[in-house]
Amino acid sequence: MTDMAGVSTGLHLPREEAGESVTVRSAEANRIIIGEVIEVAGWARVRMDPDVLAVLADHADPSMAISGQVGSQIKMKIGAIWVMASIRALSRLEDGAISATVDFLGEGDEERLTGRIYGFRRGVTRFPMPGCKVYPVSSADMKEMYAAEARPNIEVGTVYPTRDVRGALFIDAMLGKHFALLGSTGTGKSTSAALILHRICDMAPEGHIVMIDPHGEYAAAFRTNGAIFDVGNLAMPYWLMNFEEHCEVLLTSYGDNRQTDADILAKCLLAARAKSRAADGISKLTVDSPIPYLLSDLTGIISAEMGKLDKATDSAPYMRLKTKIDELRNDPRYSFMFSGMLVADTMADFLGRIFRLPGGGKPISIIDVSGVPSDITSVVVAVLSRMVFDYAIWSRDEPQRPILLVCEEAHRYIPSDNVGNGQAVRKILERIAKEGRKYGVSLGLVTQRPSDLAEGVLSQCGTIIAMRLNNERDQSFVKAAMPEGARGFLDTIPALRNREAIICGEGVAIPIRVSFDALEERKRPASNDPLFSELWTQAGGEEEILNRVIRRWRSQGR
């Protein structure tokens, strides 16, 4: 068989034999010419021979078998350097040849005797000239490209389409510049998140990870190596809230009335904090200072202020505040936060438990907020997120203890529309996305609707792990946030299988398509879809089920 220039390709397709050497594989790939470069810019256009590609499709090496397909890699030799590129788009030319648009990925040196690639690095220093020959990439080449260097890393799966090339994430780069895990429901997103966090925990048993779990899925996955918190044992003191968070919980009015209520609350809250012993010696006490105070003191001060009024008709704002505070104190659903037992100065104990300081071999805190009343869920997440950020700021002169904050269902807390409640949580998470890395706070966003995230937040994530996205708007949103070199991979997002992902950005050497490792049953989150065909064949015990459910429902217990 000859190539387009009439030069022998030396193409032959041996069956895969046990013990076949990497050198033989590399040498074979280096003899097969599949095309040539016809145009070069910041990208290149390549003309490929469909006959050669058709024969390669039966190759025993899966990497060479997919040569010429969208998302596959090719290589070009420039002097003693191999330049690697990824195929972004394909079209057919009038003479039957195939035209491919390719993005450059990186380059590696050529070993003179064997021709194999070594010392691969991201970025290109030399571009090919038109007429430069194009070769397929073998699994041996991919091993060199995706080798995890000497940097600390975690292996999460196998690089597509190889059988043994491991996909690794560089921990420092991934956590240092935030990451996002995106995928439609049912693609294995929760299991993949659990896999990544388990690998991080295994690597760093003295780490500090806080995960916000809105559905109660992850407790089952981290019982052995994490601390699980829910409304039963969270014991989050109400006085940790800053003024904005107090307003979201306590103010029920709108418009001009809301501003009036906020002014009254600010004055009374500051006075209540000032009464605390913990406030002694603090010269710059503000309404945001995390100083313990009694709810009874706050209502007492509100009553005293109301007593100073000239007209009884002006008492409405004071009554609204008192009524809301009494409601929170008396409703058992809010006891995890507004219990009379949470008045003591337990800030150090609370932060130590939540941030795993020390971790005792259990580096992750799962904060299950599924049992938190929906009207204050965003405030609870805001307080926890702000505690992470504020701790990082005020501990700058101490030995560093970086913290990873992972937000499942992130689009709930950082929505694209800038209206309604939940502004406190939106502001703090946006601030962490923009400034967190300066202070040692890493943000991990997990969402099925990236297009619903606030504009700019996704672009702050240095590493993007994109699983299958069925919605075209979501796909466009992710493409806009990903680097240029990943374009060829991005077009395959709708075609990804479950537990497959495109990973690009700081956490990997070059963009990769990875099939995630299977996770042991005991380490998986409780997020399996119900099997209707099986469950709808079962019957019996419905009366007892109903009675138990109604009892829990009425008592607001789980």
Side-chain angles (χ1 to χ4, degrees):
M1 186 173 292
T2 59
D3 73 336
M4 286 172 282
V7 180
S8 173
T9 62
L11 178 59
H12 62 98
L13 305 179
R15 293 188 178 277
E16 187 168 25
E17 296 177 11
E20 184 178 23
S21 74
V22 167
T23 301
V24 170
R25 272 291 166 83
S26 294
E28 184 197 348
N30 296 346
R31 292 195 303 269
I32 302 170
I33 300 171
I34 61 174
E36 65 182 17
V37 177
I38 56 176
E39 185 181 354
V40 181
W43 44 269
R45 186 165 284 118
V46 172
R47 175 189 175 94
M48 296 189 295
D49 187 336
D51 295 332
V52 177
L53 296 179
V55 177
L56 274 176
D58 294 324
H59 202 284
D61 183 338
S63 301
M64 292 175 68
I66 69 162
S67 293
Q69 296 182 21
V70 169
S72 67
Q73 281 84 41
I74 57 172
K75 63 185 181 183
M76 294 151 269
K77 191 177 175 188
I78 307 171
I81 290 176
W82 284 109
V83 172
M84 319 300 284
S86 170
I87 296 178
R88 185 204 307 175
L90 297 171
S91 60
R92 189 175 180 86
L93 299 175
E94 290 182 4
D95 61 359
I98 294 172
S99 172
T101 304
V102 304
D103 296 310
F104 295 109
L105 296 174
E107 62 188 24
D109 298 315
E110 180 191 33
E111 194 174 74
R112 193 165 287 181
L113 291 177
T114 64
R116 77 177 187 90
I117 297 168
Y118 72 96
F120 181 82
R121 57 262 177 196
R122 183 188 245 168
V124 175
T125 57
R126 296 179 67 180
F127 288 86
M129 297 291 288
C132 180
K133 302 304 178 200
V134 174
Y135 302 84
V137 168
S138 67
S139 289
D141 296 330
M142 293 185 81
K143 240 174 198 163
E144 287 297 325
M145 291 166 65
Y146 299 121
E149 303 177 15
R151 290 189 281 168
N153 63 83
I154 54 168
E155 292 185 354
V156 292
T158 306
V159 176
Y160 175 87
T162 69
R163 303 184 187 99
D164 58 351
V165 178
R166 300 292 289 159
L169 290 167
F170 301 126
I171 284 297
D172 293 327
M174 183 177 85
L175 300 186
K177 295 183 180 175
H178 313 313
F179 70 92
L181 173 57
L182 319 167
S184 296
T185 301
T187 57
K189 184 173 77 280
S190 299
T191 306
S192 301
L195 170 69
I196 292 169
L197 292 175
H198 271 300
R199 296 284 157 85
I200 294 174
C201 289
D202 292 344
M203 179 188 174
E206 295 303 321
H208 312 282
I209 306 169
V210 179
M211 180 174 205
I212 309 296
D213 177 11
H215 302 305
E217 295 177 338
Y218 291 88
F222 292 94
R223 290 207 184 279
T224 57
N225 59 345
I228 315 300
F229 299 97
D230 56 22
V231 290
N233 65 346
L234 183 58
M236 186 171 81
Y238 57 86
W239 47 263
L240 285 177
M241 292 189 294
N242 65 15
F243 178 62
E244 185 177 12
E245 292 150 3
H246 271 87
C247 288
E248 286 198 14
V249 173
L250 299 179
L251 302 191
T252 56
S253 52
Y254 297 93
D256 294 340
N257 285 342
R258 189 175 181 86
Q259 186 56 53
T260 302
D261 293 5
D263 293 341
I264 293 169
L265 177 60
K267 182 179 179 181
C268 297
L269 181 58
L270 182 58
R273 290 199 194 276
K275 288 185 71 172
S276 170
R277 282 186 192 172
D280 292 346
I282 297 178
S283 58
K284 295 181 180 178
L285 184 66
T286 72
V287 75
D288 288 330
S289 300
I291 301 292
Y293 72 88
L294 290 167
L295 284 174
S296 56
D297 281 346
L298 180 58
T299 53
I301 292 167
I302 291 172
S303 297
E305 289 294 318
M306 189 165 56
K308 297 176 185 177
L309 295 173
D310 296 330
K311 295 182 291 185
T313 51
D314 295 334
S315 64
Y318 298 89
M319 291 305 299
R320 282 196 292 265
L321 284 171
K322 281 189 68 177
T323 302
K324 185 63 178 179
I325 293 168
D326 290 339
E327 177 190 316
L328 293 171
R329 289 168 69 183
N330 297 325
D331 192 329
R333 294 178 304 156
Y334 300 92
S335 60
F336 73 95
M337 190 172 179
F338 290 96
S339 165
M341 304 295 290
L342 298 174
V343 180
D345 189 357
T346 55
M347 189 171 177
D349 173 65
F350 179 75
L351 296 183
R353 286 189 304 129
I354 299 300
F355 299 165
R356 315 308 301 144
L357 295 165
K362 293 189 172 185
I364 185 168
S365 287
I366 303 296
I367 315 293
D368 176 0
V369 295
S370 60
V372 174
S374 57
D375 56 333
I376 66 164
T377 302
S378 64
V379 173
V380 170
V381 177
V383 173
L384 292 167
S385 305
R386 187 175 50 77
M387 288 290 110
V388 170
F389 190 66
D390 285 353
Y391 174 81
I393 288 177
W394 295 109
S395 64
R396 275 180 294 180
D397 295 332
E398 303 293 334
Q400 250 197 324
R401 298 289 185 269
I403 299 174
L404 167 61
L405 175 66
V406 183
C407 243
E408 172 70 90
E409 298 282 10
H411 58 275
R412 283 190 183 188
Y413 308 117
I414 328 174
S416 53
D417 56 323
N418 194 13
V419 293
N421 291 330
Q423 291 303 302
V425 68
R426 178 196 171 101
K427 284 179 185 175
I428 186 59
L429 288 176
E430 283 186 327
R431 190 175 179 197
I432 290 174
K434 291 171 185 172
E435 305 173 31
R437 62 190 183 87
K438 301 175 188 173
Y439 304 106
V441 177
S442 178
L443 184 63
L445 303 178
V446 184
T447 179
Q448 56 186 306
R449 294 304 308 268
S451 60
D452 287 347
L453 282 173
E455 190 177 353
V457 170
L458 197 58
S459 61
Q460 298 288 339
C461 295
T463 304
I464 294 179
I465 304 163
M467 305 186 78
R468 189 174 69 249
L469 289 163
N470 300 325
N471 185 289
E472 196 171 330
R473 187 161 160 260
D474 290 329
Q475 293 167 18
S476 303
F477 203 78
V478 174
K479 285 181 183 181
M482 280 192 171
E484 287 284 324
R487 290 276 172 88
F489 290 91
L490 291 176
D491 293 329
T492 66
I493 283 180
L496 292 174
R497 296 171 294 185
N498 285 358
R499 289 183 34 246
E500 272 194 345
I502 305 297
I503 307 177
C504 68
E506 302 294 331
V508 286
I510 56 173
I512 56 174
R513 177 175 172 179
V514 163
S515 177
F516 283 116
D517 293 337
L519 199 55
E520 302 97 304
E521 188 69 38
R522 63 186 178 84
K523 291 185 175 181
R524 291 179 193 167
S527 58
N528 291 335
D529 296 329
L531 299 174
F532 288 81
S533 59
E534 181 183 318
L535 295 175
W536 278 357
T537 62
Q538 301 172 10
E542 282 80 3
E543 212 171 286
E544 292 80 3
I545 291 173
L546 279 170
N547 289 332
R548 288 194 298 269
V549 169
I550 291 170
R551 196 180 311 119
R552 285 196 297 270
W553 197 338
R554 285 175 173 165
S555 64
Q556 295 293 302
R558 301 197 68 199

